Amino acid sequence: MSATMTARAPARRPMLDRRTLKRWMAGYLFLLPAMICLAVVSFVPMFQGIVTSFENFSLFRPGQRGFVGLDQYRYLAEDPLLARTFWQSWYFALGSVALQAILGMASALLLNQNIWFRGFFRGLVLIPWVVPGALAAMMFGLLFTSTGLVNTLLADLGLVDLGLINAAHPWLSDPRTSMPTIIMANTWKGFPFFTVMFLAALQSIPKDYYEAAMIDGASNWQSFRHITLPSMAPTILITTLLGTIWTFNSIDLIYILTSGGPYYSTMTLAMFSYNQGFGRGNIGYASAIGVVILALMAIITIVYLAAYRRVER
Amino acid sequence: MSMRITAPRTAAMTAAKHRVRLPARMVLVYFLLAGLTLAIVMPFLWLFLGSFKSSFELMQNQSQTLWIKNPTLENYQRLFREYDFARYFLNSTIVAGVTAVFATSVSAFAGYSLARFTFAGKSFLSFLILLTQMIPVIATIIPLYLWFQWLHLLDTYWALIIAYNAFAIPFCTWLLRGFFMEIPKELEEAAEIDGAGQLGTFFRIVLPLSLPGLVATLIFSFILAWQEFLFAVTFTSKAELRTLTVGIAAMRGRDIVDWGLLNAGVVVSTVPLAVLFAFVQRYLVKGLTAGAVKG
Amino acid sequence: MTGFSRREVVKGLGLATGAALLPGLGSLSARAAETVKLVNVEHDTRPLDNAAYKAVYDAFRTKHPGIEIEFQLIPWEQARPKLLTMAQGDGLPDMGRVAWVADLAAANAIVPLDGKIEPSLLDTVDPLLVQQAYGVGNDGARHLYALPWFVGTQSILVNKTLLDKAGITLKDSWTTDEFAAAAKALTVPGKQWGVTLDGAGIGDPVQIFLSAIYGYGGKWVAGDPQSVTPEPIVFDSPETAAGIEWYTNLYLDGSAVPSAPTDTYKERDANFQSGKAAMAWQGPWSLLETRENFKQGGWELASMPLPTGPGGSVPPSLGGGMAGLFRGVLKDGHEAEALEWIKFLSSEEGQRLYCKTNGMIPASRTLQADPFWADDPLYKGYIGTMKNMRQMLPIWATGLEGLLDDVVPPLMQGVFLRQLTPADAAKEIQAQVIRGLQQNGVRVPS
């Protein structure tokens, strides 16, 4: 027997009645394919990684792997590099994502216009994203050497004469400018992701909203602030969150350009973890650092989503 | 400087308004576009032009100028002759293509579930999905390697496809969740009142309306798989299975780097995708009847 | 339907007979061409390297037609991580380049060769190089793990044209002070630098750095580095600090390319090839190609031996090519065939074919006397330096090679950037190495 809509008693708490269960089932079933896919290839290795953080697994002593409790975490707490690496990780991730999001939004708005050869320009904007990370890194490495194209251009623009920049400045080899340079390279590499996502999100805003606003006499900036941004809020939130998680864990650029140097100035937690794991062979330690990253990302995700839910209301 | 934007226009919209505004606003738009293009393209342009210089010329002045002294196609010729580059391209295309389609499909269902349904444990599950992506690769690559070895999937397309999907699905699910949440609920409710089931609503209303989001997600997962390196180099060893990223890395020998070849390799890895996107981007426009439902 | 027509019966019998014979036919053909398939791993992937392997392989095939070898290339930067990952499971290749004997032995990735090869095979190779092929296995004992086939010692490559312009003559030997003076004389601010150094990356930066330190009398242990029992580490010393000071002064004086702190061997090579730097401290990996490129550009290539410091000659690193058996060969039982290959590769004939194709230096000293190398002035620096080889790293320190690749470059960069004094760097390197070894489970005596 199926309850029809009209026959429902409205005052009943919709806990485990048939229709709610059916609704729940739909939710679970839609989610099922993804969960199956992720079960073996994502959940299990992640779990294994977490377990390894409590072991003293070294690649150079494979026979002596064993449980050591919180030893790896103790080593981490005592590591003199921890504090600096921690702050630099945030600097790198948040700096990159902020610039990427801004550039992505600007380019999405631009590419949404009715311009000639729009397809060509949209194709063009994809290029930085598609270039394989290692090659983009090599390319930036060459551009930013002391005699590289960037310095030549800056000299031509007269910035050297103005005393703003040293001539032949080795951007990546100077600890003061190494991280900003990497952030720039990362911005170039990653902003098309935001462009594409924002472009897609811009499409779902009903144009009658804008028409109504124009009739009311709103300026373009006000339309942007009160229509565009709020309508795109879910996408903006998700892309910046995902971008942060992704960037925090990315090592491609850093590995090729500076490997965390010079003198630790571009060391991030993810790079640190990689060096400990594959460089020193200390997988247990690398896993412990990995779990710390996991915890940090989990915390900001929760904070982000809680803030969003409040904003939604 | 305030951003001047406009809502996407269809052909039926006021072309007259557009014409009147052309001088002031569009000039600014083109100016900014030029600036953006320059910033994006300049590093790549340098690589692109460099691919037409001989390796010797590149090494001489470390390619500090954009000018090509003796243009040559030998880099491209050598790329396909000395290295199995066509094969690498094919491998990358297959792996990335399958990943994109599969990941987007599975994530569409999952994302819709997270966007519209309510059920016990939803917050936990949606968080769990994303959690797997928060741990750095170093902690999971050895377990993953051992799993693939146990399943005899090493040195096959499957290892990469499975690994890339595992990486892409969490992100795609959350991305699509965001896109689905932007679709006005009234449309789905209208469909349900009309008697369509959840699947029906999903296929007939939600998917078509979220076409831009789906296309964006397809692109995202394709590119993710296309330019990934660590998994590709760890799970495959045979030369026939090399993807573009691994193939290019293998071209960088000890001590001597063939810059011309490398530049050509980058161009071949990048330009086809940009061209593809130029064609695919037309789907990044408002789909069908989104704006038609009023009240 | 019960009965079969006669034609059907004949057809059926024919098919059945064929089906019965088929496996037999299959095994017949298999017995006739019992090809053994082996996988050989390698990290040098230049076109000349591939050609060198091909030359050796072709000769090998005429001798052993039943052995087929697939050459798997793992790019240099990913090589150690990937091999160590493969060592966790069962995916190791059969044989190939053992670029890190100590680390791979500790990780149980390679197979001891004691008792499997005749010791006389190694007679023509410098004993010190042979010692490099020994490592400590999981049983705590020393074993022979690989057969040397080419040598990768360093020398100072010079752009002779630029040197002549600066009025510097090539000598048979020079001191560290003369080297520093030459580097300074060759520097034209903003345009050209005397030397290009690599302060980042794996392998080279550490090896060259340590060579400089040993040239000043610094060392890791006071006793024999070949001993299996742990000894106190004495790296932190005034001699070490002096060596660090000399090396980093090349940069601090402005004689080295400014991007040295983040330059890897790739950038170092590019700097030298483009004439940005007049000298480069590196191995013989690209001698032939560099000479060709220089010729096209109107430059002449030459080499000088490593200089001599207060503590003796600066020793070259003991790098090179060594062929060994990986654990994968135990899986499919083709150890004998794999041994045949590595023995051939490291034989005189194999060395000659390989090294004459790609310009590397053979491990056999008799072969080094071959006019191809002995009469070429370019190789004089490299071969001359070989007599100064020294064992530097103590072999009981498990994982030390990888540890040093992680510890040393940042601290070296610190000195380059004037944020660390040479004495502090020496102290810090020792402290971090000890800490790292302890974390890896190695007991370090104090």
Side-chain angles (χ1 to χ4, degrees):
Chain A
M1 85 206 110
S2 52
T4 62
M5 281 168 52
T6 48
R8 173 155 315 287
R12 214 165 13 140
R13 277 190 71 210
M15 257 330 276
L16 288 174
D17 66 326
R18 210 184 177 87
R19 185 156 168 262
T20 314
L21 263 175
K22 187 160 170 246
R23 191 108 183 128
W24 282 12
M25 275 314 288
Y28 290 128
L29 283 175
F30 269 70
L31 202 51
L32 195 62
M35 296 310 255
I36 293 178
C37 288
L38 292 177
V40 176
V41 213
S42 256
F43 295 141
V44 172
M46 176 182 82
F47 184 68
Q48 286 178 288
I50 296 177
V51 167
T52 310
S53 73
F54 299 108
E55 300 176 337
N56 66 344
F57 180 23
S58 161
L59 291 177
F60 301 120
R61 300 222 144 178
Q64 292 173 19
R65 178 176 182 170
F67 181 73
V68 289
L70 290 175
D71 272 2
Q72 302 290 9
Y73 293 95
R74 194 168 43 83
Y75 272 127
L76 184 60
E78 293 167 359
D79 202 310
L81 277 179
L82 181 64
R84 180 170 188 182
T85 307
F86 181 79
W87 292 116
Q88 279 173 190
S89 306
W90 289 110
Y91 180 25
F92 172 63
L94 296 178
S96 302
V97 171
L99 288 177
Q100 287 170 355
I102 293 174
L103 196 54
M105 180 65 90
S107 50
L109 292 170
L110 270 177
L111 292 171
N112 208 19
Q113 308 290 304
N114 230 340
I115 48 183
W116 293 330
F117 303 114
R118 182 161 71 175
F120 169 73
F121 285 108
R122 285 183 175 184
L124 206 67
V125 86
L126 203 68
I127 284 180
W129 196 14
V130 183
V131 176
L135 292 165
M138 279 180 67
M139 184 181 76
F140 269 90
L142 284 174
L143 281 174
F144 278 95
T145 60
S146 45
T147 54
L149 210 52
V150 168
N151 276 335
T152 319
L153 277 176
L154 289 175
D156 287 345
L157 284 175
L159 288 174
V160 178
D161 303 324
L162 286 177
L164 285 173
I165 312 236
N166 289 333
H169 182 87
W171 294 93
L172 286 166
S173 309
D174 184 335
R176 294 168 302 174
T177 54
S178 53
M179 189 57 109
T181 309
I182 292 204
I183 292 179
M184 276 232 301
N186 202 25
T187 303
W188 181 86
K189 182 87 183 59
F191 87 89
F193 164 65
F194 287 86
T195 310
V196 170
M197 295 301 152
F198 289 165
L199 254 182
L202 278 172
Q203 309 311 314
S204 62
I205 307 177
K207 56 189 188 294
D208 27 310
Y209 288 7
Y210 291 110
E211 285 178 10
M214 268 193 283
I215 290 171
D216 284 349
S219 76
N220 276 330
W221 172 249
Q222 283 172 324
S223 298
F224 179 67
R225 258 203 73 201
H226 298 286
I227 301 177
T228 313
L229 277 186
S231 313
M232 288 176 62
T235 304
I236 296 178
L237 175 90
I238 296 302
T239 48
T240 45
L241 179 64
L242 293 182
T244 307
I245 293 176
W246 203 357
T247 307
F248 205 89
N249 271 320
S250 81
I251 54 171
D252 271 10
L253 275 181
I254 300 179
Y255 181 66
I256 305 261
L257 283 172
T258 58
S259 266
Y263 200 44
Y264 311 118
S265 55
T266 57
M267 186 64 81
T268 59
L269 281 173
M271 191 71 241
F272 188 48
S273 170
Y274 183 87
N275 282 345
Q276 296 293 324
F278 275 141
R280 303 196 187 194
N282 204 333
I283 300 289
Y285 194 42
S287 301
I289 302 171
V291 169
V292 168
I293 295 179
L294 177 72
L296 288 172
M297 294 297 100
I299 292 174
I300 65 159
T301 303
I302 295 176
V303 167
Y304 229 92
L305 293 177
Y308 175 69
R309 231 168 274 151
R310 196 161 303 157
V311 164
E312 208 180 13
R313 259 174 250 128
Chain B
M1 172 169 295
S2 58
M3 276 304 306
R4 306 221 195 143
I5 48 97
T6 185
R9 297 164 188 273
T10 61
M13 272 295 281
T14 48
K17 242 193 238 171
H18 179 85
R19 250 180 268 130
V20 163
R21 289 227 202 133
L22 177 58
R25 189 177 51 78
M26 287 313 270
V27 163
L28 176 69
V29 166
Y30 278 108
F31 179 71
L32 289 171
L33 193 64
L36 178 72
T37 309
L38 204 67
I40 297 171
V41 158
M42 220 254 299
F44 188 73
L45 185 66
W46 176 66
L47 266 180
F48 183 71
L49 291 176
S51 66
F52 294 108
K53 302 182 192 174
S54 71
S55 289
F56 174 70
E57 187 184 331
L58 281 170
M59 269 192 296
Q60 281 303 84
N61 58 2
Q62 280 196 300
S63 50
Q64 292 316 326
T65 59
L66 292 175
W67 179 248
I68 309 177
K69 243 192 288 186
N70 294 319
T72 167
L73 277 178
E74 71 176 58
N75 291 325
Y76 290 98
Q77 290 168 335
R78 283 175 54 212
L79 200 65
F80 288 97
R81 214 183 32 221
E82 283 177 29
Y83 294 91
D84 213 353
F85 220 69
R87 175 107 222 177
Y88 303 160
F89 197 86
L90 179 70
N91 290 337
S92 279
T93 310
I94 292 178
V95 169
V98 173
T99 301
V101 170
F102 187 75
T104 308
S105 315
V106 168
S107 304
F109 282 95
Y112 188 59
S113 164
L114 296 185
R116 287 295 185 239
F117 296 128
T118 46
F119 46 91
K122 174 175 163 182
S123 299
F124 171 70
L125 285 174
S126 46
F127 183 69
L128 184 66
I129 287 177
L130 199 56
L131 195 71
T132 57
Q133 294 318 306
M134 298 183 194
I135 197 166
V137 150
I138 179 75
T140 53
I141 194 164
I142 291 185
L144 255 180
Y145 176 83
L146 293 174
W147 276 116
F148 284 136
Q149 186 182 55
W150 185 68
L151 292 166
H152 295 284
L153 288 177
L154 288 177
D155 270 327
T156 66
Y157 286 136
W158 289 110
L160 293 180
I161 292 175
I162 293 175
Y164 291 157
N165 271 297
F167 199 73
I169 288 175
F171 285 125
C172 292
T173 302
W174 276 75
L175 284 170
L176 285 172
R177 170 183 176 272
F179 288 123
F180 290 146
M181 276 166 51
E182 279 168 6
I183 295 176
K185 274 201 192 143
E186 304 86 54
L187 296 171
E188 295 165 62
E189 285 163 10
E192 277 191 36
I193 291 174
D194 285 350
Q198 278 127 4
L199 264 179
T201 319
F202 184 59
F203 279 111
R204 269 184 267 127
I205 307 282
V206 176
L207 284 186
L209 282 180
S210 55
L211 188 62
L214 287 171
V215 169
T217 309
L218 266 171
I219 292 169
F220 164 76
S221 42
F222 188 91
I223 292 180
L224 187 149
W226 181 266
Q227 52 119 35
E228 199 280 338
F229 179 68
L230 192 59
F231 283 170
V233 83
T234 308
F235 299 144
T236 63
S237 308
K238 286 198 168 52
E240 309 90 70
L241 276 149
R242 281 194 205 138
T243 58
L244 280 173
T245 46
V246 181
I248 290 175
M251 293 194 315
R252 297 191 327 237
R254 275 277 300 210
D255 273 2
I256 199 154
V257 183
D258 196 328
W259 296 104
L261 212 57
L262 223 55
N263 287 352
V266 174
V267 172
V268 170
S269 322
T270 314
V271 170
L273 240 65
V275 168
L276 185 69
F277 184 47
F279 283 109
V280 159
Q281 59 81 30
R282 81 178 77 163
Y283 294 106
L284 280 181
V285 291
K286 201 184 297 285
L288 308 165
T289 55
V293 177
K294 300 187 191 196
Chain C
M1 292 286 293
T2 48
F4 292 106
S5 76
R6 196 181 309 164
R7 206 185 309 151
E8 280 166 334
V9 171
V10 170
K11 236 204 284 186
L13 273 175
L15 278 173
T17 322
L21 280 178
L22 215 52
L25 283 173
S27 65
L28 230 128
S29 62
R31 242 172 281 132
E34 232 179 276
T35 348
V36 172
K37 294 217 175 109
L38 298 171
V39 174
N40 185 89
V41 75
E42 178 49 66
H43 316 310
D44 284 343
T45 54
R46 301 168 299 153
L48 273 187
D49 296 320
N50 300 338
Y53 263 114
K54 186 172 185 311
V56 183
Y57 185 48
D58 287 344
F60 182 75
R61 284 284 273 172
T62 56
K63 289 197 165 75
H64 302 265
I67 307 183
E68 250 180 50
I69 303 185
E70 178 198 327
F71 291 95
Q72 263 184 23
L73 303 175
I74 309 180
W76 175 253
E77 284 91 352
Q78 283 73 46
R80 187 162 56 192
K82 178 151 187 196
L83 284 174
L84 291 173
T85 306
M86 286 164 125
Q88 301 310 306
D90 248 343
L92 286 168
D94 292 307
M95 65 229 179
R97 178 91 176 272
V98 181
W100 303 274
V101 173
D103 286 355
L104 290 173
N108 199 24
I110 46 185
V111 176
L113 297 176
D114 327 281
K116 299 192 178 132
I117 57 138
E118 307 85 60
S120 56
L121 276 182
L122 299 168
D123 273 351
T124 57
V125 182
D126 188 307
L128 202 56
L129 215 55
V130 174
Q131 279 190 339
Q132 285 310 104
Y134 280 82
V136 179
N138 276 6
D139 55 357
R142 270 186 84 223
H143 299 282
L144 175 70
Y145 280 103
L147 302 172
W149 97 87
F150 69 83
V151 194
T153 57
Q154 289 108 8
S155 86
I156 309 289
L157 271 186
V158 304
N159 187 326
K160 188 165 182 302
T161 318
L162 295 179
L163 253 69
D164 289 340
K165 236 190 269 182
I168 302 175
T169 45
L170 296 182
K171 297 195 276 204
D172 272 342
S173 71
W174 50 349
T175 67
T176 46
D177 290 332
E178 287 169 335
F179 178 78
K184 202 162 180 74
L186 285 161
T187 304
V188 176
K191 257 191 57 190
Q192 177 184 302
W193 285 269
V195 66
T196 170
L197 305 173
D198 43 346
I202 55 170
D204 279 3
V206 176
Q207 290 168 4
I208 296 175
F209 190 64
L210 290 182
S211 297
I213 288 169
Y214 269 73
Y216 269 74
K219 47 186 184 252
W220 281 104
V221 287
D224 179 18
Q226 290 283 338
S227 128
V228 185
T229 30
E231 295 184 30
I233 291 188
V234 298
F235 188 74
D236 182 16
S237 65
E239 291 84 12
T240 301
I244 296 179
E245 191 175 348
W246 168 74
Y247 187 68
T248 51
N249 272 345
L250 292 170
Y251 182 78
L252 295 171
D253 275 351
S255 319
V257 179
S259 46
T262 45
D263 277 348
T264 64
Y265 70 87
K266 295 190 279 288
E267 287 78 25
R268 178 193 69 203
D269 174 74
N271 288 339
F272 184 66
Q273 301 270 350
S274 63
K276 209 162 142 184
M279 301 193 286
W281 183 333
Q282 60 183 54
W285 265 267
S286 57
L287 282 183
L288 296 183
E289 294 99 322
T290 308
R291 184 154 54 183
E292 264 318 298
N293 288 328
F294 267 31
K295 238 189 259 172
Q296 278 190 52
W299 287 330
E300 198 186 329
L301 184 67
S303 78
M304 289 254 268
L306 293 179
T308 310
S313 313
V314 171
S317 76
L318 290 167
M322 294 199 250
L325 298 180
F326 285 86
R327 201 162 27 91
V329 79
L330 299 176
K331 205 176 31 168
D332 31 50
H334 292 307
E335 209 177 319
E337 288 86 349
L339 265 172
E340 285 304 311
W341 164 252
I342 63 172
K343 286 203 296 199
F344 182 71
L345 181 60
S346 56
S347 69
E348 296 249 335
E349 189 184 346
Q351 287 184 28
R352 191 183 332 116
L353 285 166
Y354 187 87
C355 297
K356 280 209 174 152
T357 313
N358 69 357
M360 296 302 292
I361 303 170
S364 152
R365 280 184 294 190
T366 15
L367 212 46
Q368 286 167 13
D370 184 300
F372 184 88
W373 293 281
D375 289 352
D376 189 336
L378 203 51
Y379 287 102
K380 263 180 65 182
Y382 289 96
I383 298 184
T385 296
M386 270 189 241
K387 63 183 184 310
N388 298 324
M389 291 194 294
R390 292 179 62 174
Q391 172 77 29
M392 293 189 253
L393 302 184
I395 67 174
W396 52 262
T398 322
L400 184 57
E401 284 177 294
L403 183 59
L404 285 175
D405 277 335
D406 195 44
V407 167
V408 170
L411 295 170
M412 173 169 45
Q413 291 158 8
V415 186
F416 279 155
L417 296 166
R418 293 180 208 273
Q419 296 194 8
L420 208 56
T421 65
D424 283 340
K427 196 182 325 164
E428 187 61 25
I429 290 177
Q430 172 156 319
Q432 284 198 26
V433 163
I434 292 179
R435 188 166 180 270
L437 285 174
Q438 285 168 339
Q439 248 185 291
N440 249 346
V442 180
R443 248 165 287 124
V444 185
S446 37

